[in-house]
């Protein structure tokens, strides 16, 4: 039995029983695993979760590691170093090659596969995570440079099974289609909110000499600040609407454009 087994709620048991009955016994007796989440993602893509939205949100909010990653011996790694990180509020120590990227460390050594490897050249933004409050491209960031720093990934956005408001807004506005870029989009959007609150400038800032003060983002400002995150499915209007609603706290009506 999984020593890190997480007790399912009644709503989650009903979700498995209705939509994934073949997985119900395993989920109850052995706990959740990554395969359950992958199947849940496919159901979400097919639009089959509407009647189980609460249970789905609870499952998406879980941020536990589902696999024990065996530690490597320093002698087995070329240029081995030990790096201490605070990842999603948990202190982690990992032995890696000094040239290993933060992305590969998160995915291959810590089992946090939410951050995606898209282009691996810092051009798509799918690997975006938050380091000490700033969004970074983890595929271009050496893990060794993050010694002693705080790293937040998509797995750490939810707290106590409560989704981050940005996650809730993305779900409400369908700010994703295939979902591959979504972890990076959400991490980037959360950091963007902090930047706006601190009055950080962007290309569209009119008065470059103004004192730092909170910025209420327009759609154009959001699009410019999120330009480093590519969505190949083209869900940009939905992403902008989600971010604007998360910042204002007010309902944002989606504007639909029809060809012809």
């Amino acid at each position: 039995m999984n020593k890190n087994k997480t007790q399912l709620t009644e709503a989650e048991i009903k979700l498995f029983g209705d939509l994934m009955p073949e997985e119900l016994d395993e989920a109850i007796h052995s706990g959740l695993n990554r395969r359950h989440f992958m199947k849940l993602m496919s159901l979400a893509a097919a639009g089959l979760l509407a009647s189980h939205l609460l249970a789905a949100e609870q499952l998406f909010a879980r941020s536990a590691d589902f696999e024990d990653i065996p530690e490597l011996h320093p002698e087995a790694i070329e240029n081995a170093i030990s790096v201490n990180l605070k990842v999603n509020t948990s202190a982690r120590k990992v032995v890696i090659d000094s040239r290993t990227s933060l992305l590969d460390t998160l995915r291959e050594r810590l089992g946090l596969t939410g951050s995606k490897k898209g282009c691996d050249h810092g051009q798509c933004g799918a690997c975006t995570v938050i380091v000490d409050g700033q969004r970074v491209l983890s595929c271009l960031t050496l893990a060794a440079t993050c010694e002693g720093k705080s790293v937040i990934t998509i797995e750490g956005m939810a707290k106590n099974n409560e989704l981050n408001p940005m996650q809730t807004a993305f779900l409400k506005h369908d700010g994703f289609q295939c979902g591959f870029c979504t972890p990076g989009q959400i991490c980037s959007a959360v950091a963007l909110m902090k930047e706006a609150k601190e009055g950080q400038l962007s290309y569209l800032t009119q008065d470059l000499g103004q004192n730092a003060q909170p910025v209420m983002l327009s759609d154009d400002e959001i699009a410019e600040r999120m330009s480093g995150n590519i969505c190949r499915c083209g869900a940009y209007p939905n992403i902008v609407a989600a971010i604007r609603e998360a910042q204002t706290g007010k309902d944002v009506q989606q504007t639909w454009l029809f060809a012809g």
Side-chain angles (χ1 to χ4, degrees):
M1 182 175 293
N2 186 351
K3 64 182 179 180
N4 295 322
K5 173 184 171 184
T6 303
Q7 189 70 33
L8 297 182
T9 66
E10 291 184 5
E12 291 168 347
I13 292 175
K14 177 173 174 54
L15 181 147
F16 276 97
D18 290 349
L19 299 180
M20 294 186 288
E22 70 281 2
E23 305 286 354
L24 180 58
D25 286 343
E26 180 183 5
I28 291 176
H29 294 104
S30 300
L32 300 170
N33 59 47
R34 191 162 284 113
R35 187 180 71 256
H36 298 147
F37 278 73
M38 294 302 293
K39 287 192 175 184
L40 190 65
M41 289 296 293
S42 66
L43 292 173
L48 299 178
L49 295 181
S51 60
H52 300 80
L53 185 58
L54 175 60
E57 288 185 352
Q58 290 174 343
L59 282 170
F60 278 130
R62 296 195 188 277
S63 59
D65 295 338
F66 296 115
E67 298 176 2
D68 291 329
I69 306 296
E71 189 55 78
L72 298 179
H73 294 289
E75 295 79 8
I77 307 175
E78 188 176 3
N79 305 310
I81 61 170
S82 178
V83 179
N84 295 279
L85 305 168
K86 183 179 181 182
V87 183
N88 299 332
T89 73
S90 298
R92 305 298 296 268
K93 181 178 180 179
V94 60
V95 177
I96 56 172
D97 186 301
S98 62
R99 299 161 295 184
T100 305
S101 70
L102 177 59
L103 176 61
D104 285 341
T105 300
L106 292 171
R107 291 180 58 84
E108 306 299 336
R109 301 301 312 135
L110 300 180
L112 298 172
T113 57
S115 304
K116 303 306 181 193
K117 180 177 285 191
C119 65
D120 206 23
H121 286 78
Q123 297 177 345
C124 71
C127 68
T128 303
V129 298
I130 303 173
V131 177
D132 281 354
Q134 304 295 321
R135 47 182 167 165
V136 303
L137 297 168
S138 60
C139 75
L140 297 184
T141 303
L142 288 176
T145 67
C146 298
E147 169 69 30
K149 295 183 179 181
S150 171
V151 180
I152 298 177
T153 70
I154 191 65
E155 290 90 346
M157 285 294 169
K159 303 297 182 184
N160 299 321
N161 285 343
E162 291 292 331
L163 294 177
N164 182 285
M166 190 65 71
Q167 292 175 297
T168 301
F170 265 67
L171 283 171
K172 175 182 176 181
H173 288 278
D174 291 330
F176 54 88
Q177 288 186 39
C178 77
F180 188 86
C181 73
T182 307
Q185 297 275 3
I186 291 177
C187 286
S188 188
V190 169
L192 178 154
M193 299 276 283
K194 177 176 179 291
E195 294 167 5
K197 185 177 181 180
E198 295 174 348
Q200 294 187 29
L201 306 180
S202 80
Y203 179 77
L204 293 181
T205 301
Q206 296 296 317
D207 183 5
L208 298 179
Q210 67 183 11
N211 295 325
Q213 55 186 338
V215 177
M216 187 55 64
L217 302 173
S218 65
D219 286 358
D220 288 342
E221 183 90 358
I222 293 172
E224 195 280 327
R225 290 176 183 253
M226 290 291 293
S227 60
N229 291 82
I230 296 174
C231 174
R232 290 176 173 84
C233 298
Y236 297 116
N238 310 60
I239 292 170
V240 169
I243 295 173
R244 186 148 56 89
E245 180 164 314
Q247 185 189 37
T248 63
K250 300 178 181 178
D251 289 337
V252 173
Q253 299 298 319
Q254 185 67 58
T255 301
W256 300 98
L257 301 176
F258 296 95

